[in-house]
Short mmCIF file of all heavy atoms in Angstrom, two decimals:
data_model
loop_
_atom_site.label_atom_id
_atom_site.label_comp_id
_atom_site.label_asym_id
_atom_site.label_seq_id
_atom_site.Cartn_x
_atom_site.Cartn_y
_atom_site.Cartn_z
N LYS A 92 -15.25 -10.97 -17.77
CA LYS A 92 -14.43 -12.06 -18.22
C LYS A 92 -15.20 -13.33 -18.23
O LYS A 92 -15.13 -14.11 -19.22
CB LYS A 92 -13.21 -12.18 -17.27
CG LYS A 92 -12.21 -13.29 -17.70
CD LYS A 92 -11.24 -12.76 -18.75
CE LYS A 92 -10.19 -13.86 -19.10
NZ LYS A 92 -9.36 -13.42 -20.18
N GLU A 95 -17.44 -13.67 -21.31
CA GLU A 95 -16.91 -13.95 -22.56
C GLU A 95 -16.76 -15.53 -22.76
O GLU A 95 -16.56 -15.96 -23.81
CB GLU A 95 -15.35 -13.37 -22.63
CG GLU A 95 -15.40 -11.94 -22.88
CD GLU A 95 -13.97 -11.36 -22.76
OE1 GLU A 95 -12.97 -12.14 -22.76
OE2 GLU A 95 -13.87 -10.10 -22.62
N LYS A 127 -31.28 -6.67 -29.54
CA LYS A 127 -30.95 -5.63 -30.59
C LYS A 127 -29.99 -6.30 -31.62
O LYS A 127 -30.08 -5.98 -32.75
CB LYS A 127 -30.22 -4.42 -29.86
CG LYS A 127 -30.13 -3.20 -30.74
CD LYS A 127 -29.76 -2.01 -29.87
CE LYS A 127 -29.58 -0.81 -30.73
NZ LYS A 127 -29.02 0.27 -29.99
N ASP A 252 -21.78 19.85 -13.96
CA ASP A 252 -20.83 18.83 -13.35
C ASP A 252 -21.41 17.48 -13.43
O ASP A 252 -20.73 16.50 -13.82
CB ASP A 252 -20.54 19.18 -11.89
CG ASP A 252 -19.46 20.29 -11.84
OD1 ASP A 252 -18.78 20.57 -12.82
OD2 ASP A 252 -19.37 20.89 -10.68
N ASN A 255 -21.02 16.19 -16.86
CA ASN A 255 -19.59 15.97 -17.14
C ASN A 255 -19.10 14.64 -16.44
O ASN A 255 -18.27 13.93 -16.97
CB ASN A 255 -18.80 17.13 -16.74
CG ASN A 255 -17.44 17.16 -17.34
OD1 ASN A 255 -16.45 16.73 -16.79
ND2 ASN A 255 -17.38 17.61 -18.58
N TYR A 270 -33.19 13.75 -18.30
CA TYR A 270 -32.67 12.60 -19.13
C TYR A 270 -33.10 11.34 -18.47
O TYR A 270 -32.73 11.04 -17.35
CB TYR A 270 -31.14 12.61 -19.29
CG TYR A 270 -30.59 11.39 -19.93
CD1 TYR A 270 -31.04 11.01 -21.15
CD2 TYR A 270 -29.64 10.56 -19.39
CE1 TYR A 270 -30.58 9.88 -21.82
CE2 TYR A 270 -29.18 9.42 -19.97
CZ TYR A 270 -29.64 9.09 -21.21
OH TYR A 270 -29.17 7.97 -21.81
N ALA A 275 -36.25 9.13 -23.47
CA ALA A 275 -35.33 9.46 -24.62
C ALA A 275 -35.28 8.45 -25.67
O ALA A 275 -35.30 8.78 -26.91
CB ALA A 275 -33.89 9.74 -24.10
N GLU A 276 -35.23 7.18 -25.31
CA GLU A 276 -35.24 6.11 -26.28
C GLU A 276 -36.25 5.03 -25.78
O GLU A 276 -35.80 4.03 -25.22
CB GLU A 276 -33.81 5.51 -26.41
CG GLU A 276 -32.77 6.50 -26.99
CD GLU A 276 -31.36 6.01 -26.68
OE1 GLU A 276 -31.13 5.19 -25.88
OE2 GLU A 276 -30.48 6.56 -27.33
N GLU A 365 -21.87 -5.29 -33.34
CA GLU A 365 -21.70 -4.65 -31.93
C GLU A 365 -22.84 -3.76 -31.73
O GLU A 365 -23.26 -3.03 -32.59
CB GLU A 365 -20.28 -3.92 -31.93
CG GLU A 365 -20.15 -2.99 -32.99
CD GLU A 365 -18.84 -2.16 -32.86
OE1 GLU A 365 -18.26 -2.13 -31.78
OE2 GLU A 365 -18.46 -1.57 -33.89
N TYR A 367 -24.56 -1.13 -28.46
CA TYR A 367 -24.65 -0.57 -27.12
C TYR A 367 -26.08 -0.26 -26.84
O TYR A 367 -26.74 0.35 -27.71
CB TYR A 367 -23.81 0.78 -26.99
CG TYR A 367 -24.03 1.36 -25.62
CD1 TYR A 367 -23.34 0.93 -24.46
CD2 TYR A 367 -24.97 2.30 -25.40
CE1 TYR A 367 -23.58 1.48 -23.22
CE2 TYR A 367 -25.31 2.90 -24.16
CZ TYR A 367 -24.50 2.47 -23.09
OH TYR A 367 -24.80 2.96 -21.88
N TYR A 390 -17.98 -12.00 -27.89
CA TYR A 390 -16.51 -11.85 -27.91
C TYR A 390 -16.05 -10.91 -26.83
O TYR A 390 -15.05 -11.08 -26.15
CB TYR A 390 -16.02 -11.28 -29.30
CG TYR A 390 -14.56 -11.21 -29.41
CD1 TYR A 390 -13.75 -12.37 -29.66
CD2 TYR A 390 -13.90 -9.96 -29.30
CE1 TYR A 390 -12.43 -12.23 -29.74
CE2 TYR A 390 -12.50 -9.88 -29.38
CZ TYR A 390 -11.79 -11.01 -29.63
OH TYR A 390 -10.37 -10.97 -29.69
N ARG A 391 -16.83 -9.90 -26.56
CA ARG A 391 -16.58 -8.96 -25.52
C ARG A 391 -17.92 -8.45 -24.98
O ARG A 391 -18.79 -8.06 -25.78
CB ARG A 391 -15.74 -7.76 -26.01
CG ARG A 391 -15.53 -6.63 -25.03
CD ARG A 391 -14.38 -6.90 -24.16
NE ARG A 391 -13.96 -5.69 -23.36
CZ ARG A 391 -14.40 -5.42 -22.14
NH1 ARG A 391 -15.25 -6.22 -21.54
NH2 ARG A 391 -13.96 -4.33 -21.57
N ARG A 393 -19.28 -5.63 -22.28
CA ARG A 393 -18.86 -4.57 -21.34
C ARG A 393 -20.14 -4.05 -20.64
O ARG A 393 -21.15 -3.82 -21.31
CB ARG A 393 -18.20 -3.42 -22.10
CG ARG A 393 -18.31 -2.07 -21.42
CD ARG A 393 -17.31 -1.93 -20.31
NE ARG A 393 -17.50 -0.64 -19.74
CZ ARG A 393 -16.95 -0.25 -18.57
NH1 ARG A 393 -16.14 -1.06 -17.90
NH2 ARG A 393 -17.14 0.96 -18.06
N ARG A 395 -21.89 -1.20 -18.47
CA ARG A 395 -21.73 0.19 -18.02
C ARG A 395 -22.61 0.37 -16.76
O ARG A 395 -23.78 0.58 -16.84
CB ARG A 395 -22.25 1.12 -19.13
CG ARG A 395 -21.99 2.61 -18.84
CD ARG A 395 -23.33 3.27 -18.75
NE ARG A 395 -23.07 4.73 -18.61
CZ ARG A 395 -23.53 5.46 -17.59
NH1 ARG A 395 -24.26 4.94 -16.68
NH2 ARG A 395 -23.26 6.74 -17.53
N ARG A 433 -18.42 -5.27 -10.07
CA ARG A 433 -18.73 -6.41 -11.04
C ARG A 433 -17.90 -7.67 -10.72
O ARG A 433 -16.96 -7.98 -11.36
CB ARG A 433 -18.51 -6.03 -12.50
CG ARG A 433 -19.68 -5.15 -12.95
CD ARG A 433 -19.33 -4.22 -14.04
NE ARG A 433 -18.48 -3.17 -13.50
CZ ARG A 433 -17.48 -2.58 -14.06
NH1 ARG A 433 -17.19 -2.97 -15.25
NH2 ARG A 433 -16.80 -1.64 -13.51
N GLU B 1436 -26.63 2.33 -35.09
CA GLU B 1436 -25.58 2.98 -34.28
C GLU B 1436 -24.40 3.31 -35.24
O GLU B 1436 -24.07 2.59 -36.10
CB GLU B 1436 -25.12 2.06 -33.21
CG GLU B 1436 -26.14 1.74 -32.24
CD GLU B 1436 -25.75 0.75 -31.16
OE1 GLU B 1436 -24.51 0.58 -30.98
OE2 GLU B 1436 -26.65 0.11 -30.54
N THR B 1465 -20.68 8.34 -22.04
CA THR B 1465 -21.42 7.31 -21.35
C THR B 1465 -20.61 6.19 -20.85
O THR B 1465 -20.67 5.70 -19.77
CB THR B 1465 -22.52 6.74 -22.32
OG1 THR B 1465 -23.18 7.86 -22.85
CG2 THR B 1465 -23.45 5.87 -21.62
N ASP B 1466 -19.63 5.77 -21.69
CA ASP B 1466 -18.89 4.66 -21.42
C ASP B 1466 -17.52 4.68 -22.13
O ASP B 1466 -17.38 5.30 -23.15
CB ASP B 1466 -19.63 3.33 -21.86
CG ASP B 1466 -19.04 2.10 -21.14
OD1 ASP B 1466 -18.23 2.31 -20.28
OD2 ASP B 1466 -19.30 0.94 -21.62
N SER B 1469 -12.47 -1.23 -23.64
CA SER B 1469 -11.53 -1.58 -24.57
C SER B 1469 -11.80 -3.07 -24.92
O SER B 1469 -12.38 -3.87 -24.27
CB SER B 1469 -10.12 -1.46 -23.99
OG SER B 1469 -10.11 -2.27 -22.84
N ASP B 1471 -9.80 -6.52 -26.89
CA ASP B 1471 -8.51 -7.19 -27.25
C ASP B 1471 -8.61 -8.02 -28.48
O ASP B 1471 -9.49 -8.90 -28.52
CB ASP B 1471 -8.01 -7.99 -26.04
CG ASP B 1471 -6.68 -8.70 -26.28
OD1 ASP B 1471 -6.03 -8.25 -27.28
OD2 ASP B 1471 -6.27 -9.51 -25.47
N ASN B 1491 -30.04 14.24 -28.31
CA ASN B 1491 -30.46 12.90 -28.15
C ASN B 1491 -29.96 12.00 -29.25
O ASN B 1491 -30.68 11.27 -29.91
CB ASN B 1491 -31.98 12.83 -28.09
CG ASN B 1491 -32.53 11.47 -27.69
OD1 ASN B 1491 -31.79 10.66 -27.11
ND2 ASN B 1491 -33.77 11.15 -27.88
N ARG B 1493 -26.38 9.39 -30.41
CA ARG B 1493 -25.23 8.67 -29.85
C ARG B 1493 -24.17 8.52 -30.92
O ARG B 1493 -24.41 8.52 -32.12
CB ARG B 1493 -25.61 7.29 -29.30
CG ARG B 1493 -26.44 7.40 -28.03
CD ARG B 1493 -26.79 6.02 -27.53
NE ARG B 1493 -27.80 5.99 -26.47
CZ ARG B 1493 -27.49 6.19 -25.19
NH1 ARG B 1493 -26.22 6.31 -24.73
NH2 ARG B 1493 -28.46 6.19 -24.31
N LYS B 1497 -13.88 4.91 -31.89
CA LYS B 1497 -12.94 3.90 -31.69
C LYS B 1497 -11.52 4.18 -32.09
O LYS B 1497 -11.37 5.09 -33.01
CB LYS B 1497 -13.27 2.57 -32.52
CG LYS B 1497 -14.63 2.07 -32.22
CD LYS B 1497 -14.97 1.11 -33.29
CE LYS B 1497 -15.99 0.12 -33.02
NZ LYS B 1497 -16.02 -0.91 -34.01
N LEU B 1513 -11.62 16.59 -20.76
CA LEU B 1513 -12.98 16.87 -21.46
C LEU B 1513 -14.13 16.40 -20.65
O LEU B 1513 -15.04 17.11 -20.49
CB LEU B 1513 -12.95 16.26 -22.88
CG LEU B 1513 -11.83 16.75 -23.77
CD1 LEU B 1513 -11.84 15.99 -25.12
CD2 LEU B 1513 -11.91 18.19 -24.04
N ARG B 1515 -14.90 14.36 -17.08
CA ARG B 1515 -14.23 13.83 -15.86
C ARG B 1515 -14.69 12.40 -15.55
O ARG B 1515 -14.03 11.71 -14.76
CB ARG B 1515 -14.52 14.79 -14.71
CG ARG B 1515 -13.60 15.94 -14.68
CD ARG B 1515 -13.94 17.00 -13.61
NE ARG B 1515 -15.11 17.73 -14.02
CZ ARG B 1515 -15.66 18.60 -13.21
NH1 ARG B 1515 -15.21 18.90 -12.07
NH2 ARG B 1515 -16.72 19.32 -13.71
N GLU B 1523 -9.90 1.83 -15.22
CA GLU B 1523 -10.38 0.45 -15.28
C GLU B 1523 -9.76 -0.22 -16.57
O GLU B 1523 -9.34 -1.42 -16.52
CB GLU B 1523 -11.87 0.37 -15.38
CG GLU B 1523 -12.35 -1.07 -15.14
CD GLU B 1523 -13.88 -1.31 -15.29
OE1 GLU B 1523 -14.54 -0.28 -15.49
OE2 GLU B 1523 -14.24 -2.41 -15.37
N ARG B 1554 -7.32 -9.33 -20.93
CA ARG B 1554 -6.72 -9.71 -22.16
C ARG B 1554 -7.09 -11.16 -22.48
O ARG B 1554 -7.29 -11.99 -21.64
CB ARG B 1554 -5.21 -9.67 -21.99
CG ARG B 1554 -4.73 -8.20 -21.98
CD ARG B 1554 -3.24 -8.14 -22.09
NE ARG B 1554 -2.83 -6.67 -22.15
CZ ARG B 1554 -1.55 -6.30 -22.32
NH1 ARG B 1554 -0.58 -7.19 -22.44
NH2 ARG B 1554 -1.26 -5.04 -22.33
N LYS B 1555 -7.19 -11.44 -23.78
CA LYS B 1555 -7.62 -12.77 -24.21
C LYS B 1555 -6.67 -13.86 -23.81
O LYS B 1555 -7.15 -14.97 -23.68
CB LYS B 1555 -7.83 -12.71 -25.75
CG LYS B 1555 -9.12 -11.98 -26.19
CD LYS B 1555 -10.36 -12.77 -25.89
CE LYS B 1555 -11.59 -11.96 -26.26
NZ LYS B 1555 -12.84 -12.57 -25.81
N PHE B 1557 -5.20 -14.20 -21.05
CA PHE B 1557 -5.29 -14.38 -19.53
C PHE B 1557 -6.24 -15.45 -19.31
O PHE B 1557 -7.35 -15.39 -19.73
CB PHE B 1557 -5.66 -13.04 -18.90
CG PHE B 1557 -5.52 -13.05 -17.41
CD1 PHE B 1557 -4.37 -12.61 -16.83
CD2 PHE B 1557 -6.53 -13.55 -16.58
CE1 PHE B 1557 -4.15 -12.59 -15.46
CE2 PHE B 1557 -6.35 -13.60 -15.17
CZ PHE B 1557 -5.18 -13.15 -14.60
#
Side-chain angles (χ1 to χ4, degrees):
Chain A
K92 184 81 176 175
E95 285 174 14
K127 196 169 176 188
D252 282 342
N255 200 261
Y270 173 57
E276 293 162 348
E365 55 176 340
Y367 172 83
Y390 184 76
R391 173 85 166 95
R393 156 77 181 170
R395 185 244 186 235
R433 283 151 289 144
Chain B
E1436 295 177 19
T1465 309
D1466 195 16
S1469 58
D1471 181 11
N1491 191 17
R1493 289 184 190 272
K1497 298 167 159 193
L1513 303 173
R1515 279 174 285 178
E1523 194 188 349
R1554 287 190 177 184
K1555 286 284 178 189
F1557 191 92

